[in-house]
Amino acid sequence: MNRLTRLDRLFFRLEAQHICLQWIFHEIASRPGIVFEMGLGHGRTYDHLRTYLPEREIYVFDREIDCFDDCTPPDDRLLLGDIADTLAAAAARFGGQVVLANADLGSYDEAHNVVIMAKLSRLLPAVLAPGAIVLSDLPLELSGARALPLPAGAREGRYFLYRTDG
């Protein structure tokens, strides 16, 4: 059987995300900047980010809170609403300061994904610092950024990496 099951795809996506994040933590270790986590979900990735980047300010974006109680970000770091609205507002406050943006906003609905890809591609560049890294579960077209190869062990097509110029 050559078809990947939903369980296969989930496993490979989580594996790729974990491998990419471990690589990113090393890449940004000596660089100042804040972190954006877009798509809180149940809070697992947020928990991972705050554990491995305890000195960083991490701002979390989502439509609503639906996470484990112990993975809820502080109110002053939580930006709720449509990603287009919250990310546009964040650009005024955090323009050019984000060293890592993790976007996990995709779904199994292709129409939804197309809309999210367009919003992120349009709005993310305004917040990114020179040399920032973007990790996304959806392919993006970011002005001023180039696609990076995934680290060894991460399966192609499960996550996408970008780095801004500078």
Side-chain angles (χ1 to χ4, degrees), residues 53-108:
L53 301 172
E55 73 289 351
R56 301 275 181 173
E57 291 181 42
I58 302 171
Y59 292 88
V60 180
F61 297 73
D62 211 324
R63 291 182 314 253
E64 61 189 6
I65 299 289
D66 184 30
C67 63
F68 302 112
D69 288 342
D70 65 340
C71 294
T72 303
D75 288 343
D76 66 336
R77 303 273 175 95
L78 185 59
L79 302 150
L80 295 177
D82 182 271
I83 192 66
D85 298 332
T86 55
L87 199 50
R93 182 175 172 194
F94 302 110
Q97 297 179 52
V98 176
V99 70
L100 166 59
N102 180 64
D104 194 0
L105 297 169
S107 74
Y108 290 109

Side-chain angles (χ1 to χ4, degrees), residues 8-132:
D8 292 331
R9 289 185 293 195
L10 174 63
F11 174 77
F12 295 144
R13 184 177 67 80
L14 291 175
E15 179 183 52
Q17 183 186 32
H18 189 269
I19 290 168
C20 289
L21 285 171
Q22 295 310 114
W23 176 82
I24 290 168
F25 296 157
H26 173 75
E27 286 291 305
I28 68 169
S30 63
R31 302 189 44 117
I34 61 175
V35 174
F36 277 9
E37 165 67 347
M38 294 166 287
L40 176 61
H42 295 303
R44 289 179 290 254
T45 305
Y46 169 68
D47 183 49
H48 196 71
L49 290 169
R50 72 180 178 184
T51 299
Y52 283 88
L53 301 172
E55 73 289 351
R56 301 275 181 173
E57 291 181 42
I58 302 171
Y59 292 88
V60 180
F61 297 73
D62 211 324
R63 291 182 314 253
E64 61 189 6
I65 299 289
D66 184 30
C67 63
F68 302 112
D69 288 342
D70 65 340
C71 294
T72 303
D75 288 343
D76 66 336
R77 303 273 175 95
L78 185 59
L79 302 150
L80 295 177
D82 182 271
I83 192 66
D85 298 332
T86 55
L87 199 50
R93 182 175 172 194
F94 302 110
Q97 297 179 52
V98 176
V99 70
L100 166 59
N102 180 64
D104 194 0
L105 297 169
S107 74
Y108 290 109
D109 178 347
E110 192 56 35
H112 164 85
N113 290 346
V114 168
V115 170
I116 294 297
M117 288 185 292
K119 289 177 181 182
L120 291 177
S121 293
R122 180 172 45 89
L123 295 167
L124 259 180
V127 300
L128 299 174

